[in-house]
């Protein structure tokens, strides 16, 4: 395995600008995990800027170290993780950008890598699910977000960061008996949003459920629903409270803490995770890399979960 640059040899603020200072994909013979940037935000409906998210997450990952004590594994020793750079996605044509993202993600997955997407806006979950469906069939979606992202259209547009999981359900990409949202909160357009969402195949763990039931109960609920097949994990960073992640386009009060999110992710050990993403990091609204650091740790914890499964 080729791991990160040694922080005892090269200072953390120096070295390559890859995720966690890992090798580039072209520097390894094979990769168990390929981390790919998805710099695109033409699907945003409020504050833009997530196109700069991949670079920000990478910059915020420099303090990650090789051993994860909470999970008890060294993910970069158990897995060959490499940074595949960024996909070139057309910022003026959403349909073309989605096709390019699907092609790029599918190519990495067909080479045997578990693909980790750094976003970018949440529209990009749709091409990821299209790519993985070609390899695995319908997958369960574990979706962390303040918002449902199962709206039909916005200003008549079918492909936005608020619609990817509706399109995925309509296209038969997801398992409607095993998919789940976590962290949902905030105002809706009407109660019909919840009715439509249930019809599309999602159960919900609300942000308020963490207050009343706690992390352990949330993990129990999602494990019971997700077990039994491949799982795709999609983390919109706005699942966190704006105090923990201000650098995002559509913040909502009352979100999870970073500790609650990371503990939930660690509870996924043993599930068949076939890919994941972290999206909606918009650095123009971040402060002192708070949001970028949270996003980098989400990736690190999920890599530890994958490594523990090996």
């Amino acid at each position: 395995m080729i791991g990160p640059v040694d922080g005892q040899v090269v200072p953390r603020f120096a070295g390559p600008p890859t995720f966690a200072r890992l090798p580039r994909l072209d520097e390894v013979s094979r990769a168990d995990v390929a981390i790919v940037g998805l710099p695109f935000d033409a699907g945003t409906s409020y504050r833009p800027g997530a196109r700069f998210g991949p670079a920000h997450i990478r910059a915020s990952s420099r303090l990650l170290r090789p051993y994860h004590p909470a999970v008890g594994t060294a993910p970069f020793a158990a897995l060959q993780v490499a940074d595949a750079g960024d996909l070139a996605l057309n910022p003026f044509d959403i349909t073309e950008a989605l096709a390019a993202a699907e092609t790029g993600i599918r190519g990495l997955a067909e080479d045997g890598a578990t693909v980790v997407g750094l976003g970018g806006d949440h529209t990009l979950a749709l091409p990821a699910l299209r790519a993985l469906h070609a390899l695995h069939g319908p997958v369960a979606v574990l979706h962390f977000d303040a918002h449902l992202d199962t709206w039909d259209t916005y200003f008549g547009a079918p492909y936005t960061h608020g619609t990817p999981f509706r399109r995925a359900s309509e296209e038969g990409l997801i398992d409607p008996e095993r998919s789940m949202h976590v962290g949902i909160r905030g105002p809706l357009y009407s109660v019909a949003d919840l009715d439509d969402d249930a019809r599309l195949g999602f159960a919900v763990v609300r942000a308020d459920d963490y207050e009343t039931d706690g992390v352990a109960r949330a993990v129990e609920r999602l494990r019971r629903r997700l077990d039994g097949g491949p799982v795709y994990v999609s983390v919109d960073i706005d699942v966190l409270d704006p105090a923990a992640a201000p650098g995002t386009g559509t913040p909502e009060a009352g979100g999870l803490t970073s500790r609650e999110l990371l503990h939930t992710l660690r509870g996924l050990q043993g599930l068949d995770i076939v890919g994941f993403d972290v999206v909606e990091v918009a650095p123009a609204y971040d402060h002192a890399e708070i949001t970028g650091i949270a996003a980098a740790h989400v990736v690190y914890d999920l890599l530890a979960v994958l490594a523990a499964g090996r």
Side-chain angles (χ1 to χ4, degrees):
M1 302 289 182
I2 302 177
V5 172
D6 189 343
Q8 300 291 330
V9 176
V10 180
R12 295 286 172 185
F13 47 80
T18 56
F19 183 85
R21 308 199 308 169
L22 286 159
R24 300 189 314 269
L25 186 60
D26 62 2
E27 295 176 315
V28 299
S29 59
R30 46 165 288 280
D32 298 306
V33 179
I35 298 174
V36 63
L38 305 169
F40 175 85
D41 62 6
T44 54
S45 59
Y46 194 55
R47 301 193 305 199
R51 66 182 62 184
F52 301 107
H56 189 62
I57 296 169
R58 288 184 175 107
S60 301
S61 71
R62 288 179 172 273
L63 276 175
L64 295 175
R65 297 176 182 88
Y67 183 71
H68 195 305
V71 179
T73 188
F76 305 134
L79 301 167
Q80 181 59 72
V81 187
D83 193 317
D86 290 344
L87 296 180
L89 306 177
N90 189 330
F92 304 109
D93 188 319
I94 291 179
T95 302
E96 183 178 317
L98 297 183
E102 179 184 353
T103 299
I105 293 169
R106 183 170 176 175
L108 292 169
E110 287 178 337
D111 284 342
T114 299
V115 180
V116 178
L118 306 180
D121 78 50
H122 221 154
T123 318
L124 297 160
L126 179 58
L129 289 169
R130 287 172 173 168
L132 291 176
H133 180 269
L135 301 176
H136 301 283
V139 300
V141 171
L142 176 58
H143 170 219
F144 292 86
D145 204 321
H147 312 97
L148 298 168
D149 288 1
T150 51
W151 283 277
D152 188 10
T153 63
Y154 194 66
F155 281 81
Y159 300 111
T160 77
H161 71 164
T163 67
F165 299 112
R166 190 183 192 104
R167 299 288 90 82
S169 181
E170 292 170 346
E171 293 178 20
L173 307 179
I174 70 171
D175 184 340
E177 302 298 322
R178 297 175 47 243
S179 294
M180 176 171 275
H181 305 297
V182 178
I184 303 301
R185 64 189 188 277
L188 299 170
Y189 290 107
S190 79
V191 70
D193 294 341
L194 296 173
D195 296 336
D196 286 351
D197 187 74
R199 178 178 54 80
L200 292 165
F202 288 91
V204 178
V205 175
R206 303 171 304 157
D208 286 347
D209 293 333
Y210 276 78
E211 180 67 22
T212 58
D213 300 337
V215 175
R217 173 63 176 151
V219 170
E220 178 187 337
R221 288 176 61 188
L222 65 88
R223 287 190 65 90
R224 187 166 60 245
R225 185 165 176 87
L226 295 167
D227 199 16
V231 178
Y232 184 80
V233 182
S234 187
V235 181
D236 185 326
I237 205 64
D238 73 24
V239 71
L240 296 177
D241 191 86
T248 192
T250 48
E252 301 279 359
L256 275 60
T257 67
S258 57
R259 182 168 57 245
E260 288 171 332
L261 176 58
L262 296 179
H263 272 271
T264 303
L265 296 175
R266 293 167 195 166
L268 303 180
Q269 291 184 56
L271 296 179
D272 182 18
I273 298 173
V274 296
F276 60 89
D277 64 49
V278 181
V279 298
E280 298 288 351
V281 174
Y285 316 108
D286 204 6
H287 307 283
E289 293 187 324
I290 294 172
T291 311
I293 290 167
H297 278 266
V298 166
V299 174
Y300 183 58
D301 273 46
L302 283 168
L303 290 174
V305 167
L306 290 180
R310 300 293 176 94

